[in-house]
Amino acid sequence: MRHKTSPGIQTFLAFLLSAVFAAGLFYRLSAGEGLKMNTRSRESIAMDTVVRVSVTSDKTPEELDGILDGVFELIERLDGKLSMHNATSEISLVNANAGREAVRVSPETAEVLRSALEITRLTDGAFDPTIGPVTALWQAGDAKKTRHELPSDSEILEALSLVDGKSLKETAPNEFYLAREGMRLDLGGIAKGYVSAAVRNFLESAGVESALIDLGGNVLAVGSRPNGEPWRIGVQHPLQSRGAPICSMSVENASVITAGVYERFVEIGGKRYTHIFDPRTGRPIEGNLLSVSVVAADPTIGDALSTAFMVMGENRSKLLLKELPGVETVFVSDKGSTPTVTATGGIIGLKVLNRASVNAERHEEQR
Amino acid sequence: MKSKDKALYLAILFFTAIVWMITAISGGGAGEFFLEITADGKSIKSVELSGIEPGASITLHEGGGMNELLISGNAVRMISSDCPGGDCLKMAPLVSERGAIVCLPHRLVIKLRRKDEDRNSGGIDAISY
């Protein structure tokens, strides 16, 4: 005999089917499938490091590939202007004409140099784009030119006498002049930040609203994840192998740029010296700071500040941070058996992940 | 309420719960690793680790030089290279999708990836270093 369903169960079935349909629709839309979102990533070697760019948009994969072509062309073009290792770059031309004449540069190079001078002023010389003679003396990070003995005091003083941000002048619009022969610009502490900002501008003008730009560990999060959540960015553990994070945080429309003593170094007589130099002493920095990560909307500023904060140390950096609204930091310091993570109050969703202690007063969340 | 209606209610709820669980779980499992090798930005080799015998090696001739990778279990490391400096030989073995072995002179990047990594789980998207 056929079972006849009651009106109550018919209503229940209708409600259930509607709920399942609505849930399915919501799931598809929230996953981006309803908008046919596509993601394309590309990884290559540029600026002497590994560059990875991932973009998501409702454009076709072919269109996104074209945008990525443009991104890597842009990076190569800017690197060709800013690299001091390229003899024909604009920076090399300024260096070659130090003490002789001003050199006209492109608006992009001029913008980087103006930002560098601004950070030099702001940090009272802890960041200095004219650090070139000192880095050349120590030859840090260059495996082909490893030193076998420490530079002498007189060599350091001689190099130091050529480090002076105030002697870099913009004599006319987009014309720059180094006042003394032998002076040498080194934009290693700011160029990648500027280039990642240029890539962001390029992507936004192309209509890409969600992207992740990683220039050798200088990370810039454009928008949010494709699913609408904030990006999760980790900070490298200074005592563990590459890829092991010590903590992570949530970011949207911001860069996370880290300077650390562990990343590049020069080995002299069996001892490692970091590649970060104090522009006022001409020597590798000392102290218990292992790394500083700067979170800022402007990656050019974030890049230069991360280096400056390593030179300034935690306490002086915190004083300056009070004058920099919107700039947040994560300090990793060596204060005992495990590294200590100290984050400023504006860091969102901080999670300490990996064999570290944390300053409990300065974070919002920890595992 | 009739006993047959009750049974139907329970059957529908049970079926709905099963469908919900399948939906929630699907795509949530850990994906298998594959080895991705790029030279000068172009993917030149992609190898599923599950199909490799432990102790197998991969020799690469890219960028005007030679590199050799050793695969042992789920770890991959560089064991030989004729690049100047040999920095790639000092890099930590790859055991997860984080990190990479990079040979700058030969413009090689070697990474482990999960098959389902584009699904964007709740993990870390990038590491600042």
Side-chain angles (χ1 to χ4, degrees):
Chain A
M1 191 176 80
R2 188 179 171 191
H3 174 68
K4 187 178 179 181
T5 54
S6 66
I9 206 163
Q10 287 174 358
T11 306
F12 175 74
L13 276 170
F15 175 77
L16 189 66
L17 284 171
S18 302
V20 168
F21 178 76
L25 189 64
F26 175 77
Y27 176 77
R28 287 178 66 86
L29 286 173
S30 66
E33 293 175 18
L35 297 173
K36 293 182 181 174
M37 301 296 276
N38 291 302
T39 297
R40 300 292 278 179
S41 299
R42 190 176 300 176
E43 191 169 86
S44 189
I45 291 174
M47 300 186 80
D48 286 332
T49 190
V50 179
V51 175
R52 180 176 170 82
V53 181
S54 177
V55 294
T56 301
S57 137
D58 57 356
K59 297 179 184 299
T60 65
E62 292 74 22
E63 288 173 323
L64 292 179
D65 282 340
I67 289 171
L68 287 174
D69 287 342
V71 164
F72 280 87
E73 285 167 13
L74 174 64
I75 293 171
E76 290 291 337
R77 186 171 63 79
L78 291 176
D79 187 38
K81 294 173 188 283
L82 300 173
S83 172
M84 66 171 186
H85 302 298
N86 179 347
T88 61
S89 74
E90 293 179 341
I91 293 303
S92 293
L93 289 176
V94 174
N95 288 342
N97 285 283
R100 296 179 195 161
E101 59 182 350
V103 174
R104 173 170 283 277
V105 298
S106 63
E108 293 99 329
T109 301
E111 196 177 347
V112 184
L113 291 175
R114 287 187 205 111
S115 295
L117 288 175
E118 174 63 17
I119 299 296
T120 303
R121 185 194 62 76
L122 197 65
T123 61
D124 198 20
F127 174 84
D128 194 321
T130 66
I131 191 77
V134 169
T135 53
L137 176 66
W138 287 83
Q139 294 162 343
D142 191 337
K144 287 171 281 191
K145 298 178 183 174
T146 302
R147 289 189 68 98
H148 298 291
E149 56 186 29
L150 285 171
S152 67
D153 289 348
S154 60
E155 285 177 314
I156 292 172
L157 283 174
E158 186 181 343
L160 204 52
S161 70
L162 297 167
V163 177
D164 178 15
K166 291 173 185 163
S167 294
L168 171 64
K169 307 282 187 189
E170 186 171 8
T171 53
N174 296 351
E175 284 190 12
F176 285 84
Y177 175 60
L178 285 169
R180 276 173 287 151
E181 191 173 349
M183 289 187 74
R184 184 178 162 91
L185 293 170
D186 180 347
L187 301 184
I190 194 169
K192 288 192 184 73
Y194 176 81
V195 171
S196 57
V199 170
R200 175 183 60 192
N201 295 342
F202 177 83
L203 291 175
E204 288 179 345
S205 66
V208 174
E209 295 176 352
S210 173
L212 205 56
I213 303 160
D214 182 347
L215 266 69
N218 282 21
V219 179
L220 173 57
V222 179
S224 56
R225 279 176 172 173
N227 64 5
E229 295 174 356
W231 297 100
R232 290 292 301 176
I233 308 300
V235 170
Q236 172 66 38
H237 194 301
L239 305 180
Q240 295 189 9
S241 59
R242 172 80 63 81
I246 192 167
C247 64
S248 66
M249 68 193 89
S250 297
V251 298
E252 291 178 284
N253 287 314
S255 60
V256 183
I257 298 180
T258 300
V261 296
Y262 54 89
E263 186 56 28
R264 291 171 65 202
F265 50 84
V266 61
E267 194 167 316
I268 303 173
K271 186 178 176 185
R272 287 182 173 184
Y273 297 87
T274 177
H275 73 297
I276 301 173
F277 299 97
D278 188 331
R280 294 158 301 188
T281 66
R283 297 173 189 276
I285 58 167
E286 294 178 346
N288 58 15
L289 258 186
L290 297 172
S291 72
V292 177
S293 300
V294 176
V295 182
D298 183 345
T300 312
I301 302 296
D303 196 1
L305 281 179
S306 65
T307 303
F309 287 167
M310 285 298 295
V311 172
M312 294 165 68
E314 193 171 329
N315 292 334
R316 284 187 56 213
S317 300
K318 285 174 181 169
L319 288 176
L320 179 57
L321 277 167
K322 291 177 181 173
E323 301 172 24
L324 300 170
V327 177
E328 304 293 338
T329 55
V330 175
F331 297 97
V332 180
S333 51
D334 182 8
K335 292 178 180 172
S337 57
T338 56
T340 299
V341 175
T342 306
T344 51
I347 296 289
I348 305 296
L350 180 76
K351 285 187 186 293
V352 177
L353 299 163
N354 205 343
R355 291 191 179 184
S357 57
V358 63
N359 184 337
E361 296 174 357
R362 296 186 177 275
H363 69 96
E364 297 187 349
E365 185 180 359
Q366 79 177 93
R367 192 173 71 171
Chain B
M1 187 181 289
K2 294 177 183 175
S3 60
K4 286 184 178 176
D5 283 350
K6 278 185 185 173
L8 194 53
Y9 271 124
L10 287 173
I12 291 169
L13 285 172
F14 179 74
F15 178 73
T16 306
I18 293 292
V19 169
W20 182 262
M21 284 172 64
I22 290 170
T23 306
I25 292 169
S26 65
E32 287 184 12
F33 284 121
F34 66 93
L35 183 67
E36 186 181 72
I37 302 167
T38 59
D40 210 9
K42 295 182 177 63
S43 180
I44 58 164
K45 197 178 277 288
S46 185
V47 184
E48 285 191 27
L49 289 193
S50 59
I52 297 285
E53 289 290 323
S57 66
I58 297 175
T59 303
L60 305 164
H61 297 278
E62 297 291 336
M66 184 281 295
N67 296 73
E68 186 177 7
L69 294 164
L70 178 70
I71 299 170
S72 48
N74 286 324
V76 178
R77 63 191 175 98
M78 188 78 79
I79 56 169
S80 177
S81 174
D82 58 5
C83 64
D87 288 346
C88 56
L89 298 170
K90 302 169 191 166
M91 292 187 176
L94 296 177
V95 293
S96 74
E97 67 269 44
R98 291 175 185 157
I101 295 174
V102 180
C103 182
L104 279 176
H106 297 162
R107 301 180 74 78
L108 280 172
V109 180
I110 295 106
K111 296 190 97 168
L112 286 180
R113 296 201 186 285
R114 287 184 189 276
K115 287 180 179 176
D116 59 357
E117 70 173 4
D118 287 339
R119 196 174 45 80
N120 244 347
S121 65
I124 292 174
D125 299 295
I127 292 184
S128 177
Y129 56 88

